[in-house]
């Protein structure tokens, strides 16, 4: 999924499915002080909808239903609603710290007991929930230092009746709608979980996964349907967990209220509640930045491996080239020593060079390392595992 210039869909480290037509290994001897040029196609894992492909299709006049139907064949349309629970994993502390604002309310989770914080301490500029063991919470406010407001048994949550609440983390702050909860994750530890309506959540996902300011409205609508369906699938799959999704590209990117944008808001509203199902259950609608010309088998009838008719040579990730020195690869895998040979094997059999790489074997003066093509691509920050090499 889209990290602005990085769409990762689900985790890039996923092992590429190896088809029966996988090609034989290709390899290169690596002289001392060699220059290695890696040429590749696509960005991301290649499963499901290509976001750049959707954009190209929209420019060609395709509607979002045609785009979604092409990338997820054999699915059916239905509707879904309800709320979603998002783990704000960038908040690495045990507390939940927010900016004071009008309407800010604290509630004892699971009860009707609430406190109007803006009225209770009008001069406070921040509030935070601090764990007191696993069974109690302390609510504090900041006004010339931190002060205790009250201690309660159980858990606490903060909200502003649907208006954005600014959450502070170690790397800055982001505004979120919904309810920010302090949730136990393991003994002695808590995480921050944003609980909000599904449609509100999508307002923070679509612009985080696309270029909402410039992309075609039909592409944004296709993204809204794919992202909504993905969220509903994960919600159904994690009923017994404390959250449904994270906010990073390891799930799908979610920028909260800070990311909301008018064009993507329009796309979410125009496709409200629309999701895809397969065999009566929400489809696992993975998506990728660019297929590079071929989609990857996702292990379901609606995620087939096939030539992508909407991939365009104008797509900035249709083809890419990255230069390396052999010392950079040696630094990434020091157990190899002085790199002497690289072999690529077990390709998936689709597209140029035999398709995506299944395994990479590095042989050097100190030993041999074998890893998946996806792990190799991730470590070197390559756009995808569909690549070949040139060694000088």
């Amino acid at each position: 999924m889209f990290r602005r210039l990085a769409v990762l869909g689900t985790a890039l480290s996923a092992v590429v499915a190896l088809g029966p037509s996988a090609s034989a290994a290709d390899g290169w001897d690596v002289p001392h002080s060699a220059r290695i040029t890696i040429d590749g196609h696509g960005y991301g894992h290649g499963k499901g909808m290509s976001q750049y492909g959707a954009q190209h299709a929209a420019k060609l006049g395709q509607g979002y239903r045609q785009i979604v139907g092409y990338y997820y064949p054999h699915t059916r349309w239905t509707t879904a609603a309800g709320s979603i629970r998002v783990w704000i994993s960038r908040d690495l502390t045990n507390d939940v710290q927010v900016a004071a604002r009008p309407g800010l309310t604290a509630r004892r989770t699971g009860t009707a007991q609430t406190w109007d914080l803006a009225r209770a301490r009008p001069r406070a500029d921040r509030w935070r929930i601090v764990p007191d063991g696993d069974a109690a919470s302390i609510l504090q406010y900041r006004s010339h230092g931190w002060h205790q407001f009250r201690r309660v048994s159980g858990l606490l949550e903060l909200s502003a009746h649907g208006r954005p609440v600014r959450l502070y983390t170690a790397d800055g702050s982001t505004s979120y709608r919904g309810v920010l909860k302090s949730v136990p994750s393991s003994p002695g530890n808590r995480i921050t979980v944003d609980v909000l309506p599904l449609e509100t959540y999508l307002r923070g996902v679509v612009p985080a996964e696309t270029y909402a300011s410039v992309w075609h409205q039909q592409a944004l609508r296709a993204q809204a349907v794919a992202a909504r369906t993905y969220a509903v699938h994960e919600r159904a799959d994690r009923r017994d967990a404390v959250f449904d999704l994270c906010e990073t590209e390891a799930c799908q990117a979610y920028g909260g209220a800070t990311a909301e944008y008018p064009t993507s808001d329009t796309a979410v509203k125009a496709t409200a509640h629309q999701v895809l199902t397969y065999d009566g259950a929400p489809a696992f609608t993975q998506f990728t930045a660019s297929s590079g010309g071929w989609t990857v088998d996702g292990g379901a009838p609606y995620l087939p491996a096939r030539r992508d008719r909407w991939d365009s040579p104008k797509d900035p990730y249709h083809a890419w080239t990255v230069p390396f020195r052999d010392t950079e690869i040696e630094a990434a895998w020091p157990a190899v020593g002085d790199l002497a040979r690289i072999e690529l094997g077990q390709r998936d059999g689709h597209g140029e060079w035999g398709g995506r790489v299944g395994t990479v074997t590095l042989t050097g003066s100190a030993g041999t390392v074998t890893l998946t093509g996806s792990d190799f691509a991730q470590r070197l920050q390559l756009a995808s595992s569909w690549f070949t090499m040139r060694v000088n």
Side-chain angles (χ1 to χ4, degrees):
M1 306 180 177
F2 236 9
R3 211 169 34 185
R4 284 300 167 185
L5 285 178
V7 183
L8 303 180
T10 54
L12 250 179
S13 59
V15 177
V16 177
L18 305 179
S21 57
S23 68
D26 41 4
W28 298 263
D29 292 328
V30 181
H32 187 68
S33 300
R35 294 177 182 271
I36 301 169
T37 302
I38 301 181
D39 301 307
H41 291 299
Y43 202 136
H45 52 56
K47 299 173 186 177
M49 184 178 72
S50 164
Q51 292 167 309
Y52 274 100
Q55 169 70 352
H56 184 61
K59 287 182 176 181
L60 293 175
Q62 299 295 313
Y64 76 92
R65 281 184 167 257
Q66 286 70 40
I67 296 170
V68 169
Y70 172 73
Y71 282 113
Y72 307 109
H74 313 300
T75 56
R76 294 181 178 273
W77 291 81
T78 186
T79 58
S83 61
I84 202 83
R85 303 167 300 166
V86 188
W87 170 32
I88 308 303
S89 57
R90 60 195 295 262
D91 187 0
L92 301 176
T93 62
N94 271 337
D95 68 356
V96 179
Q97 185 175 155
V98 304
R101 59 149 300 149
L104 184 65
T105 300
R107 184 170 77 98
R108 184 181 173 192
T109 301
T111 74
Q113 190 175 16
T114 61
W115 298 270
D116 185 331
L117 303 184
R119 289 187 178 181
R121 296 293 186 271
R123 294 185 179 180
D125 64 351
R126 292 193 189 187
W127 289 84
R128 69 183 180 188
I129 302 168
V130 179
D132 186 9
D134 292 331
S137 303
I138 297 173
L139 187 59
Q140 299 178 338
Y141 66 94
R142 194 178 77 171
S143 180
H144 304 291
W146 286 100
H147 310 276
Q148 182 169 320
F149 178 67
R150 67 184 60 240
R151 178 187 182 279
V152 302
S153 60
L155 305 177
L156 286 169
E157 57 194 50
L158 300 166
S159 68
H161 309 290
R163 289 171 289 181
V165 175
R166 182 163 292 277
L167 175 71
Y168 291 97
T169 59
D171 61 350
S173 64
T174 303
S175 292
Y176 296 97
R177 299 184 190 274
V179 177
L180 293 171
K181 292 189 172 187
S182 175
V183 177
S185 58
S186 62
N189 294 297
R190 296 196 193 178
I191 60 175
T192 302
V193 175
D194 185 17
V195 183
L196 71 169
L198 180 62
E199 297 305 302
T200 306
Y201 164 69
L202 265 293
R203 294 179 63 190
V205 171
V206 177
E209 286 287 355
T210 63
Y211 293 106
S213 62
V214 296
W215 275 27
H216 196 286
Q217 179 62 206
Q218 295 301 315
L220 297 178
R221 294 182 186 189
Q223 181 64 60
V225 173
R228 185 185 293 110
T229 306
Y230 183 91
V232 172
H233 176 278
E234 294 300 276
R235 181 177 67 184
D237 202 42
R238 295 181 58 84
R239 289 190 180 95
D240 297 328
V242 296
F243 61 89
D244 303 314
L245 293 154
C246 61
E247 97 282 21
T248 72
E249 66 278 355
C251 300
Q252 58 184 5
Y254 168 57
T258 300
E260 293 172 4
Y261 198 79
T263 56
S264 49
D265 278 355
T266 297
V268 171
K269 185 176 181 180
T271 63
H273 306 298
Q274 296 176 27
V275 296
L276 303 175
T277 62
Y278 178 79
D279 198 22
F284 187 34
T285 48
Q286 293 175 282
F287 48 90
T288 193
S290 167
S291 69
W294 274 85
T295 59
V296 171
D297 181 2
Y302 54 85
L303 294 173
R306 63 179 178 179
R307 189 182 299 278
D308 185 351
R309 72 184 183 201
W310 285 326
D311 178 76
S312 169
K314 295 180 180 180
D315 166 359
Y317 298 113
H318 170 78
W320 46 265
T321 298
V322 183
F324 289 91
R325 294 184 180 273
D326 65 341
T327 52
E328 294 178 272
I329 297 178
E330 291 164 357
W333 290 277
V336 170
D338 183 13
L339 182 64
R341 184 168 176 79
I342 301 175
E343 292 185 349
L344 310 181
Q346 296 182 317
R347 293 181 181 269
D348 68 4
H350 302 301
E352 191 175 11
W353 317 309
R356 290 176 180 258
V357 175
T359 61
V360 178
T361 300
L362 307 174
T363 302
S365 60
T368 298
V369 172
T370 299
L371 63 157
T372 69
S374 293
D375 286 341
F376 181 82
Q378 185 178 31
R379 180 78 66 87
L380 294 184
Q381 298 183 3
L382 303 177
S384 79
S385 60
W386 185 0
F387 56 84
T388 190
M389 297 184 181
R390 291 173 281 145
V391 178
N392 297 322

